[in-house]
Amino acid sequence: MSGSNSGVTVTLTMDGMERTARLPLIPGTIGPSVADIRKMYGELGIFTFDPGYGGTAACDSKITYIDGDEGVLLHRGYPIEELAEHSTFLEVAYLLLNGDLPNAAENEEFHEGVTRHTMLHEQLRSFFNGFRRDAHPMAVLCGVVGAMSAFYHDSLDINDENHRRISAFRLIAKLPTIAAWAYKYSIGQPFIYPRNDLGYAENFLHMLNAVPAEPYHVNPILARAMDRILILHADHEQNASTSTVRLAGSTGANPFACIAAGIASLWGPAHGGANEAVLKMLAEIGHVSHIPDFIEKVKDKHSSVRLMGFGHRVYKNYDPRAKIMQRTCHEVLGELGIKGDPLLDLAAELEKIALHDEYFVSRKLYPNVDFYSGIILKAMGIPTSMFTALFAVARTVGWISQWKEMIEDPAQRIGRPRQVYTGSPRRGFVPIEARG
Ligand code: ACO
């Protein structure tokens, strides 16, 4: 960690003991400062205990800032609302990777760089045939992205800046192709090759929906909606999958292996799998009249039912992305002529009730980005099983930016958390015949 000391210290004294540790305070540009505990073990002989890392900064980063209480999300200083409104996904990708928005020439060069890497090594095609047709697209994504390190040997040296750059291009460019092919494979349709005359989101929709038998025209409103969804999912600070990528990368593992690890982590229903889980939940509820019973189950501590698409580890306010997603949802449904969609009605009613119910209000549980994204994607004809894969396509940009930032930090070292051991104290081996 390269965070600079503010000169201010936090003093920690152990009750009943003379020993005191002075912990330097590291300020952020905005947001709370953090106490640097690296020397605490040496000085006091104790570690900190923070399961789930809710109170621990694992790194310093210049990429994304979240104020969970105020519902603020900034990428390199730019508010997500402005990026979603005025920017494109590839511009945001450039911003996350390089620190600033591209000028016209940089933008063109970056587009060209991504575009020239959209095709997969043809031998990777046969990889797909090894999966069962009913494999979840995330399983396919995880496997194929992991396998990329066996195909692109020329960009695996993590200490070579040019290798890192090419790997970033390859990952950003090929993820849509891999995700779309995972889908095509599952429905038994031929793979559609990327078209470099189309924009990033347009090309992705084309590879998902086109068939060789007839021309396919991508609706520009849907392409814009897809681009916005990708922007909204591009990065989100040190979430579970990003931390997984950083932890894997801290060992010196190659970027393809690290992103495969991120994909595996994203898959869980508490993280990227939530938008899929929202739709399953809405289908299970079935009708507005069943909402009160469902809410009772959610509140019952013995039921383990959660209101999917609600709550967030960091946001204790409206997720700013959820607001943009809600607007996009109405645009998409309007464009597609979907009026009075029962799922949307159900979602709106659920949101209304949850926002006023004491259980959710007192726990600061607000809708998160996934609450509406599932409904938009469903309306766009994207199958539910592809939702998390789509999230992975977008988040690859954040993962690779965070990985790059970590590798380029001279103070970077292997991530290795400690533990508080609560198992048996030392004991002698008991021969099997003497065990009760
Ligand atoms: N439904 C009902 N109760 C909830 C929910 C929910 N969705 N989320 C949290 N709670 C309750 C918990 O039961 C707990 O109540 P208690 O204090 O009475 O025990 C309290 O709120 C705090 O919950 P934690 O689990 O400690 O919160 P945590 O920060 O660990 O969890 C998480 C965050 C995993 C996102 C959680 O809110 C959740 O499971 N949400 C549903 C899944 C979801 O939508 N995930 C998407 C996250 S966004 C993303 O990945 C893009």
Side-chain angles (χ1 to χ4, degrees), residues 256-313:
F256 303 112
C258 296
I259 302 303
I263 293 169
S265 170
L266 184 72
W267 193 356
H271 191 10
N275 51 12
E276 189 176 337
V278 169
L279 276 208
K280 280 194 190 135
M281 175 189 76
L282 293 177
E284 256 167 55
I285 298 174
H287 192 266
V288 192
S289 62
H290 302 149
I291 291 178
D293 281 351
F294 182 76
I295 294 279
E296 281 318 304
K297 258 193 260 168
V298 167
K299 293 200 268 186
D300 178 359
K301 284 283 158 217
H302 305 292
S303 79
S304 80
V305 177
R306 286 205 161 189
L307 185 51
M308 300 312 286
F310 265 70
H312 197 275
R313 170 57 62 82

Short mmCIF file of all heavy atoms in Angstrom, two decimals, residues 256-313:
data_model
loop_
_atom_site.label_atom_id
_atom_site.label_comp_id
_atom_site.label_asym_id
_atom_site.label_seq_id
_atom_site.Cartn_x
_atom_site.Cartn_y
_atom_site.Cartn_z
N PHE A 256 -5.56 -13.62 -17.29
CA PHE A 256 -6.71 -14.43 -17.70
C PHE A 256 -7.16 -15.31 -16.52
O PHE A 256 -8.36 -15.48 -16.27
CB PHE A 256 -6.37 -15.29 -18.92
CG PHE A 256 -5.90 -14.46 -20.09
CD1 PHE A 256 -4.59 -14.53 -20.53
CD2 PHE A 256 -6.75 -13.57 -20.72
CE1 PHE A 256 -4.14 -13.75 -21.60
CE2 PHE A 256 -6.33 -12.79 -21.79
CZ PHE A 256 -5.01 -12.87 -22.22
N ALA A 257 -6.19 -15.87 -15.81
CA ALA A 257 -6.52 -16.69 -14.63
C ALA A 257 -7.19 -15.82 -13.58
O ALA A 257 -8.17 -16.25 -12.93
CB ALA A 257 -5.24 -17.31 -14.06
N CYS A 258 -6.70 -14.59 -13.41
CA CYS A 258 -7.28 -13.70 -12.39
C CYS A 258 -8.72 -13.34 -12.74
O CYS A 258 -9.60 -13.31 -11.87
CB CYS A 258 -6.47 -12.41 -12.27
SG CYS A 258 -4.81 -12.70 -11.69
N ILE A 259 -8.98 -13.04 -14.01
CA ILE A 259 -10.35 -12.66 -14.41
C ILE A 259 -11.27 -13.88 -14.29
O ILE A 259 -12.44 -13.75 -13.90
CB ILE A 259 -10.38 -12.05 -15.83
CG1 ILE A 259 -9.47 -10.82 -15.91
CG2 ILE A 259 -11.81 -11.70 -16.26
CD1 ILE A 259 -9.75 -9.69 -14.93
N ALA A 260 -10.76 -15.08 -14.59
CA ALA A 260 -11.58 -16.30 -14.42
C ALA A 260 -11.97 -16.44 -12.95
O ALA A 260 -13.11 -16.81 -12.63
CB ALA A 260 -10.80 -17.53 -14.90
N ALA A 261 -11.04 -16.11 -12.05
CA ALA A 261 -11.35 -16.17 -10.61
C ALA A 261 -12.43 -15.15 -10.26
O ALA A 261 -13.35 -15.43 -9.48
CB ALA A 261 -10.08 -15.90 -9.80
N GLY A 262 -12.33 -13.96 -10.87
CA GLY A 262 -13.34 -12.92 -10.65
C GLY A 262 -14.71 -13.37 -11.12
O GLY A 262 -15.73 -13.13 -10.46
N ILE A 263 -14.75 -14.04 -12.27
CA ILE A 263 -16.02 -14.53 -12.82
C ILE A 263 -16.65 -15.54 -11.84
O ILE A 263 -17.85 -15.50 -11.57
CB ILE A 263 -15.80 -15.17 -14.21
CG1 ILE A 263 -15.38 -14.08 -15.21
CG2 ILE A 263 -17.05 -15.90 -14.70
CD1 ILE A 263 -14.89 -14.61 -16.55
N ALA A 264 -15.82 -16.43 -11.31
CA ALA A 264 -16.32 -17.43 -10.35
C ALA A 264 -16.93 -16.74 -9.13
O ALA A 264 -18.00 -17.10 -8.65
CB ALA A 264 -15.19 -18.36 -9.93
N SER A 265 -16.26 -15.70 -8.67
CA SER A 265 -16.73 -14.99 -7.49
C SER A 265 -18.01 -14.20 -7.77
O SER A 265 -18.90 -14.09 -6.92
CB SER A 265 -15.61 -14.05 -7.01
OG SER A 265 -16.05 -13.20 -6.03
N LEU A 266 -18.10 -13.68 -8.97
CA LEU A 266 -19.28 -12.88 -9.34
C LEU A 266 -20.55 -13.72 -9.42
O LEU A 266 -21.66 -13.22 -9.26
CB LEU A 266 -19.03 -12.21 -10.70
CG LEU A 266 -20.12 -11.26 -11.21
CD1 LEU A 266 -20.12 -9.96 -10.42
CD2 LEU A 266 -19.92 -10.95 -12.69
N TRP A 267 -20.37 -15.01 -9.68
CA TRP A 267 -21.49 -15.90 -9.99
C TRP A 267 -22.50 -16.01 -8.83
O TRP A 267 -23.70 -16.22 -9.03
CB TRP A 267 -20.91 -17.28 -10.34
CG TRP A 267 -21.85 -18.24 -10.98
CD1 TRP A 267 -23.20 -18.07 -11.21
CD2 TRP A 267 -21.52 -19.54 -11.48
NE1 TRP A 267 -23.71 -19.18 -11.83
CE2 TRP A 267 -22.69 -20.09 -12.01
CE3 TRP A 267 -20.33 -20.27 -11.54
CZ2 TRP A 267 -22.71 -21.37 -12.59
CZ3 TRP A 267 -20.36 -21.53 -12.11
CH2 TRP A 267 -21.54 -22.07 -12.62
N GLY A 268 -22.05 -15.86 -7.59
CA GLY A 268 -22.91 -16.12 -6.44
C GLY A 268 -24.13 -15.20 -6.38
O GLY A 268 -24.06 -14.05 -6.79
N PRO A 269 -25.27 -15.72 -5.84
CA PRO A 269 -26.50 -14.92 -5.80
C PRO A 269 -26.41 -13.69 -4.90
O PRO A 269 -27.20 -12.76 -5.05
CB PRO A 269 -27.55 -15.90 -5.27
CG PRO A 269 -26.79 -17.00 -4.63
CD PRO A 269 -25.46 -17.07 -5.32
N ALA A 270 -25.45 -13.66 -3.97
CA ALA A 270 -25.32 -12.46 -3.14
C ALA A 270 -24.59 -11.35 -3.90
O ALA A 270 -24.51 -10.22 -3.44
CB ALA A 270 -24.55 -12.79 -1.86
N HIS A 271 -24.04 -11.66 -5.07
CA HIS A 271 -23.24 -10.69 -5.83
C HIS A 271 -23.85 -10.56 -7.22
O HIS A 271 -24.96 -10.07 -7.37
CB HIS A 271 -21.79 -11.18 -5.82
CG HIS A 271 -20.76 -10.21 -6.30
ND1 HIS A 271 -21.02 -8.88 -6.54
CD2 HIS A 271 -19.44 -10.38 -6.59
CE1 HIS A 271 -19.91 -8.29 -6.96
NE2 HIS A 271 -18.94 -9.18 -7.01
N GLY A 272 -23.15 -11.04 -8.24
CA GLY A 272 -23.63 -10.84 -9.62
C GLY A 272 -24.82 -11.68 -9.99
O GLY A 272 -25.51 -11.39 -10.97
N GLY A 273 -25.06 -12.73 -9.23
CA GLY A 273 -26.20 -13.60 -9.54
C GLY A 273 -27.52 -13.00 -9.09
O GLY A 273 -28.58 -13.59 -9.30
N ALA A 274 -27.47 -11.79 -8.49
CA ALA A 274 -28.69 -11.24 -7.88
C ALA A 274 -29.74 -10.86 -8.91
O ALA A 274 -30.94 -11.03 -8.65
CB ALA A 274 -28.34 -10.04 -7.00
N ASN A 275 -29.32 -10.35 -10.09
CA ASN A 275 -30.37 -9.93 -11.05
C ASN A 275 -31.16 -11.13 -11.57
O ASN A 275 -32.36 -11.05 -11.80
CB ASN A 275 -29.81 -9.05 -12.19
CG ASN A 275 -28.61 -9.64 -12.87
OD1 ASN A 275 -28.28 -10.80 -12.68
ND2 ASN A 275 -27.93 -8.84 -13.68
N GLU A 276 -30.45 -12.26 -11.70
CA GLU A 276 -31.13 -13.50 -12.09
C GLU A 276 -32.09 -13.91 -10.96
O GLU A 276 -33.23 -14.30 -11.20
CB GLU A 276 -30.07 -14.58 -12.33
CG GLU A 276 -30.59 -15.84 -12.94
CD GLU A 276 -29.47 -16.85 -13.25
OE1 GLU A 276 -28.30 -16.45 -13.42
OE2 GLU A 276 -29.79 -18.05 -13.32
N ALA A 277 -31.59 -13.77 -9.73
CA ALA A 277 -32.39 -14.16 -8.56
C ALA A 277 -33.62 -13.25 -8.40
O ALA A 277 -34.67 -13.70 -7.94
CB ALA A 277 -31.53 -14.11 -7.31
N VAL A 278 -33.51 -11.97 -8.81
CA VAL A 278 -34.66 -11.05 -8.72
C VAL A 278 -35.80 -11.57 -9.58
O VAL A 278 -36.95 -11.63 -9.15
CB VAL A 278 -34.26 -9.61 -9.15
CG1 VAL A 278 -35.49 -8.73 -9.32
CG2 VAL A 278 -33.32 -8.97 -8.15
N LEU A 279 -35.46 -11.97 -10.81
CA LEU A 279 -36.53 -12.45 -11.70
C LEU A 279 -37.15 -13.74 -11.20
O LEU A 279 -38.37 -13.93 -11.27
CB LEU A 279 -35.97 -12.66 -13.11
CG LEU A 279 -35.91 -11.43 -14.00
CD1 LEU A 279 -36.03 -11.83 -15.45
CD2 LEU A 279 -37.01 -10.41 -13.69
N LYS A 280 -36.31 -14.61 -10.66
CA LYS A 280 -36.84 -15.87 -10.11
C LYS A 280 -37.79 -15.53 -8.97
O LYS A 280 -38.86 -16.13 -8.83
CB LYS A 280 -35.70 -16.75 -9.59
CG LYS A 280 -35.00 -17.50 -10.71
CD LYS A 280 -34.12 -18.61 -10.13
CE LYS A 280 -33.24 -19.18 -11.22
NZ LYS A 280 -31.86 -19.35 -10.82
N MET A 281 -37.38 -14.57 -8.14
CA MET A 281 -38.21 -14.18 -7.00
C MET A 281 -39.54 -13.60 -7.48
O MET A 281 -40.61 -13.98 -6.97
CB MET A 281 -37.44 -13.14 -6.16
CG MET A 281 -38.21 -12.55 -5.01
SD MET A 281 -37.32 -11.16 -4.29
CE MET A 281 -37.62 -9.88 -5.51
N LEU A 282 -39.49 -12.72 -8.49
CA LEU A 282 -40.73 -12.11 -8.98
C LEU A 282 -41.66 -13.19 -9.55
O LEU A 282 -42.87 -13.15 -9.32
CB LEU A 282 -40.44 -11.04 -10.04
CG LEU A 282 -39.70 -9.79 -9.55
CD1 LEU A 282 -39.39 -8.84 -10.72
CD2 LEU A 282 -40.48 -9.03 -8.48
N ALA A 283 -41.06 -14.15 -10.25
CA ALA A 283 -41.89 -15.24 -10.81
C ALA A 283 -42.51 -16.07 -9.68
O ALA A 283 -43.67 -16.49 -9.78
CB ALA A 283 -41.02 -16.12 -11.71
N GLU A 284 -41.73 -16.28 -8.63
CA GLU A 284 -42.24 -17.06 -7.49
C GLU A 284 -43.40 -16.33 -6.80
O GLU A 284 -44.40 -16.93 -6.43
CB GLU A 284 -41.13 -17.23 -6.47
CG GLU A 284 -40.51 -18.63 -6.48
CD GLU A 284 -39.23 -18.61 -5.67
OE1 GLU A 284 -39.25 -18.19 -4.49
OE2 GLU A 284 -38.20 -18.98 -6.26
N ILE A 285 -43.25 -15.01 -6.65
CA ILE A 285 -44.32 -14.24 -6.00
C ILE A 285 -45.57 -14.29 -6.87
O ILE A 285 -46.68 -14.48 -6.38
CB ILE A 285 -43.88 -12.76 -5.75
CG1 ILE A 285 -42.67 -12.72 -4.82
CG2 ILE A 285 -45.03 -11.95 -5.14
CD1 ILE A 285 -42.08 -11.34 -4.63
N GLY A 286 -45.36 -14.11 -8.19
CA GLY A 286 -46.45 -14.36 -9.15
C GLY A 286 -47.48 -13.26 -9.27
O GLY A 286 -47.85 -12.90 -10.37
N HIS A 287 -47.95 -12.73 -8.18
CA HIS A 287 -49.03 -11.73 -8.26
C HIS A 287 -48.89 -10.73 -7.12
O HIS A 287 -48.44 -11.08 -6.02
CB HIS A 287 -50.40 -12.42 -8.19
CG HIS A 287 -51.52 -11.51 -8.56
ND1 HIS A 287 -52.24 -10.79 -7.63
CD2 HIS A 287 -52.03 -11.19 -9.78
CE1 HIS A 287 -53.15 -10.06 -8.25
NE2 HIS A 287 -53.05 -10.28 -9.55
N VAL A 288 -49.33 -9.48 -7.40
CA VAL A 288 -49.22 -8.40 -6.41
C VAL A 288 -49.89 -8.80 -5.08
O VAL A 288 -49.41 -8.43 -4.01
CB VAL A 288 -49.89 -7.11 -6.97
CG1 VAL A 288 -49.56 -5.90 -6.11
CG2 VAL A 288 -49.43 -6.85 -8.38
N SER A 289 -50.95 -9.57 -5.18
CA SER A 289 -51.69 -9.94 -3.96
C SER A 289 -50.87 -10.85 -3.04
O SER A 289 -51.18 -11.00 -1.86
CB SER A 289 -53.00 -10.62 -4.33
OG SER A 289 -52.72 -11.82 -5.03
N HIS A 290 -49.82 -11.48 -3.59
CA HIS A 290 -49.00 -12.38 -2.77
C HIS A 290 -47.84 -11.64 -2.07
O HIS A 290 -47.10 -12.25 -1.30
CB HIS A 290 -48.40 -13.51 -3.62
CG HIS A 290 -49.44 -14.33 -4.31
ND1 HIS A 290 -49.23 -14.93 -5.53
CD2 HIS A 290 -50.72 -14.64 -3.95
CE1 HIS A 290 -50.32 -15.57 -5.90
NE2 HIS A 290 -51.24 -15.41 -4.97
N ILE A 291 -47.69 -10.34 -2.37
CA ILE A 291 -46.54 -9.60 -1.83
C ILE A 291 -46.52 -9.58 -0.29
O ILE A 291 -45.48 -9.87 0.32
CB ILE A 291 -46.44 -8.18 -2.43
CG1 ILE A 291 -46.08 -8.27 -3.90
CG2 ILE A 291 -45.41 -7.33 -1.68
CD1 ILE A 291 -45.99 -6.94 -4.62
N PRO A 292 -47.66 -9.25 0.37
CA PRO A 292 -47.60 -9.19 1.84
C PRO A 292 -47.09 -10.49 2.47
O PRO A 292 -46.25 -10.45 3.37
CB PRO A 292 -49.05 -8.90 2.24
CG PRO A 292 -49.64 -8.22 1.04
CD PRO A 292 -48.98 -8.84 -0.14
N ASP A 293 -47.55 -11.64 1.97
CA ASP A 293 -47.08 -12.92 2.52
C ASP A 293 -45.58 -13.07 2.30
O ASP A 293 -44.85 -13.55 3.17
CB ASP A 293 -47.77 -14.10 1.80
CG ASP A 293 -49.17 -14.31 2.34
OD1 ASP A 293 -49.49 -13.66 3.35
OD2 ASP A 293 -49.93 -15.09 1.73
N PHE A 294 -45.14 -12.66 1.10
CA PHE A 294 -43.73 -12.80 0.78
C PHE A 294 -42.88 -11.91 1.70
O PHE A 294 -41.86 -12.35 2.23
CB PHE A 294 -43.47 -12.45 -0.69
CG PHE A 294 -42.04 -12.61 -1.09
CD1 PHE A 294 -41.50 -13.87 -1.31
CD2 PHE A 294 -41.19 -11.51 -1.19
CE1 PHE A 294 -40.16 -14.04 -1.64
CE2 PHE A 294 -39.85 -11.66 -1.51
CZ PHE A 294 -39.34 -12.92 -1.75
N ILE A 295 -43.35 -10.69 1.91
CA ILE A 295 -42.61 -9.76 2.78
C ILE A 295 -42.52 -10.33 4.20
O ILE A 295 -41.48 -10.22 4.86
CB ILE A 295 -43.29 -8.36 2.79
CG1 ILE A 295 -43.20 -7.70 1.41
CG2 ILE A 295 -42.72 -7.45 3.88
CD1 ILE A 295 -41.89 -7.00 1.08
N GLU A 296 -43.58 -10.97 4.65
CA GLU A 296 -43.55 -11.59 5.99
C GLU A 296 -42.47 -12.66 6.06
O GLU A 296 -41.74 -12.77 7.04
CB GLU A 296 -44.93 -12.19 6.34
CG GLU A 296 -45.96 -11.17 6.82
CD GLU A 296 -45.39 -10.12 7.78
OE1 GLU A 296 -44.82 -10.50 8.82
OE2 GLU A 296 -45.48 -8.91 7.48
N LYS A 297 -42.35 -13.44 4.98
CA LYS A 297 -41.33 -14.51 4.94
C LYS A 297 -39.92 -13.88 4.97
O LYS A 297 -39.02 -14.38 5.63
CB LYS A 297 -41.48 -15.33 3.65
CG LYS A 297 -42.18 -16.65 3.89
CD LYS A 297 -42.04 -17.56 2.70
CE LYS A 297 -43.29 -17.51 1.87
NZ LYS A 297 -43.20 -18.12 0.56
N VAL A 298 -39.76 -12.78 4.25
CA VAL A 298 -38.46 -12.11 4.20
C VAL A 298 -38.07 -11.63 5.61
O VAL A 298 -36.91 -11.73 6.02
CB VAL A 298 -38.51 -10.91 3.21
CG1 VAL A 298 -37.29 -10.01 3.39
CG2 VAL A 298 -38.57 -11.41 1.78
N LYS A 299 -39.07 -11.16 6.34
CA LYS A 299 -38.78 -10.61 7.67
C LYS A 299 -38.59 -11.69 8.73
O LYS A 299 -38.05 -11.43 9.80
CB LYS A 299 -39.92 -9.66 8.08
CG LYS A 299 -39.97 -8.43 7.20
CD LYS A 299 -40.72 -7.30 7.84
CE LYS A 299 -42.17 -7.26 7.51
NZ LYS A 299 -42.89 -6.12 8.00
N ASP A 300 -39.04 -12.91 8.41
CA ASP A 300 -38.94 -14.00 9.36
C ASP A 300 -37.50 -14.52 9.40
O ASP A 300 -36.99 -15.05 8.41
CB ASP A 300 -39.90 -15.13 8.93
CG ASP A 300 -39.81 -16.32 9.86
OD1 ASP A 300 -39.00 -16.28 10.82
OD2 ASP A 300 -40.53 -17.30 9.62
N LYS A 301 -36.85 -14.36 10.53
CA LYS A 301 -35.43 -14.71 10.66
C LYS A 301 -35.17 -16.20 10.45
O LYS A 301 -34.05 -16.62 10.17
CB LYS A 301 -34.91 -14.30 12.05
CG LYS A 301 -34.66 -12.83 12.16
CD LYS A 301 -33.36 -12.43 11.46
CE LYS A 301 -33.37 -10.95 11.09
NZ LYS A 301 -32.76 -10.60 9.86
N HIS A 302 -36.22 -17.03 10.57
CA HIS A 302 -36.01 -18.48 10.42
C HIS A 302 -36.18 -18.94 8.97
O HIS A 302 -35.94 -20.09 8.66
CB HIS A 302 -36.99 -19.25 11.32
CG HIS A 302 -36.92 -18.84 12.76
ND1 HIS A 302 -35.81 -19.09 13.54
CD2 HIS A 302 -37.78 -18.14 13.54
CE1 HIS A 302 -36.01 -18.59 14.75
NE2 HIS A 302 -37.20 -17.99 14.76
N SER A 303 -36.61 -18.03 8.08
CA SER A 303 -36.96 -18.50 6.73
C SER A 303 -35.79 -18.44 5.74
O SER A 303 -35.82 -19.09 4.72
CB SER A 303 -38.12 -17.67 6.17
OG SER A 303 -37.64 -16.43 5.72
N SER A 304 -34.78 -17.64 6.00
CA SER A 304 -33.63 -17.41 5.11
C SER A 304 -34.02 -16.86 3.72
O SER A 304 -33.22 -16.87 2.78
CB SER A 304 -32.75 -18.66 4.95
OG SER A 304 -33.31 -19.56 4.03
N VAL A 305 -35.26 -16.38 3.59
CA VAL A 305 -35.67 -15.74 2.32
C VAL A 305 -35.24 -14.28 2.38
O VAL A 305 -35.46 -13.60 3.38
CB VAL A 305 -37.22 -15.82 2.14
CG1 VAL A 305 -37.64 -15.08 0.86
CG2 VAL A 305 -37.67 -17.26 2.10
N ARG A 306 -34.60 -13.80 1.32
CA ARG A 306 -34.20 -12.39 1.25
C ARG A 306 -34.92 -11.71 0.10
O ARG A 306 -35.28 -12.37 -0.88
CB ARG A 306 -32.69 -12.28 1.04
CG ARG A 306 -31.95 -12.60 2.30
CD ARG A 306 -30.59 -11.96 2.35
NE ARG A 306 -30.14 -11.93 3.73
CZ ARG A 306 -29.08 -11.29 4.16
NH1 ARG A 306 -28.34 -10.61 3.33
NH2 ARG A 306 -28.74 -11.32 5.42
N LEU A 307 -35.08 -10.44 0.23
CA LEU A 307 -35.66 -9.68 -0.86
C LEU A 307 -34.52 -9.38 -1.84
O LEU A 307 -33.69 -8.50 -1.59
CB LEU A 307 -36.28 -8.39 -0.30
CG LEU A 307 -37.05 -7.51 -1.29
CD1 LEU A 307 -38.09 -8.31 -2.06
CD2 LEU A 307 -37.75 -6.37 -0.55
N MET A 308 -34.48 -10.16 -2.91
CA MET A 308 -33.36 -10.03 -3.84
C MET A 308 -33.42 -8.69 -4.56
O MET A 308 -34.51 -8.21 -4.89
CB MET A 308 -33.36 -11.19 -4.85
CG MET A 308 -33.24 -12.55 -4.20
SD MET A 308 -31.92 -12.66 -2.96
CE MET A 308 -30.46 -12.70 -3.95
N GLY A 309 -32.25 -8.08 -4.79
CA GLY A 309 -32.21 -6.76 -5.42
C GLY A 309 -32.35 -5.65 -4.40
O GLY A 309 -32.42 -4.48 -4.76
N PHE A 310 -32.37 -6.02 -3.13
CA PHE A 310 -32.42 -5.03 -2.05
C PHE A 310 -31.21 -5.20 -1.14
O PHE A 310 -30.79 -6.33 -0.88
CB PHE A 310 -33.69 -5.19 -1.22
CG PHE A 310 -34.79 -4.28 -1.67
CD1 PHE A 310 -35.42 -4.49 -2.88
CD2 PHE A 310 -35.19 -3.21 -0.90
CE1 PHE A 310 -36.43 -3.65 -3.32
CE2 PHE A 310 -36.20 -2.35 -1.32
CZ PHE A 310 -36.82 -2.57 -2.54
N GLY A 311 -30.72 -4.09 -0.65
CA GLY A 311 -29.61 -4.15 0.30
C GLY A 311 -28.28 -4.13 -0.40
O GLY A 311 -28.15 -4.53 -1.56
N HIS A 312 -27.30 -3.60 0.29
CA HIS A 312 -25.95 -3.52 -0.26
C HIS A 312 -24.98 -3.36 0.89
O HIS A 312 -25.29 -2.69 1.88
CB HIS A 312 -25.84 -2.32 -1.21
CG HIS A 312 -24.65 -2.41 -2.10
ND1 HIS A 312 -23.41 -1.98 -1.71
CD2 HIS A 312 -24.52 -2.89 -3.36
CE1 HIS A 312 -22.57 -2.19 -2.70
NE2 HIS A 312 -23.20 -2.74 -3.71
N ARG A 313 -23.81 -3.98 0.78
CA ARG A 313 -22.83 -3.87 1.83
C ARG A 313 -22.41 -2.41 2.06
O ARG A 313 -22.21 -1.97 3.19
CB ARG A 313 -21.61 -4.74 1.48
CG ARG A 313 -20.38 -4.56 2.37
CD ARG A 313 -20.67 -4.81 3.85
NE ARG A 313 -21.11 -6.14 4.12
CZ ARG A 313 -20.32 -7.21 4.26
NH1 ARG A 313 -19.03 -7.07 4.15
NH2 ARG A 313 -20.85 -8.38 4.53
#
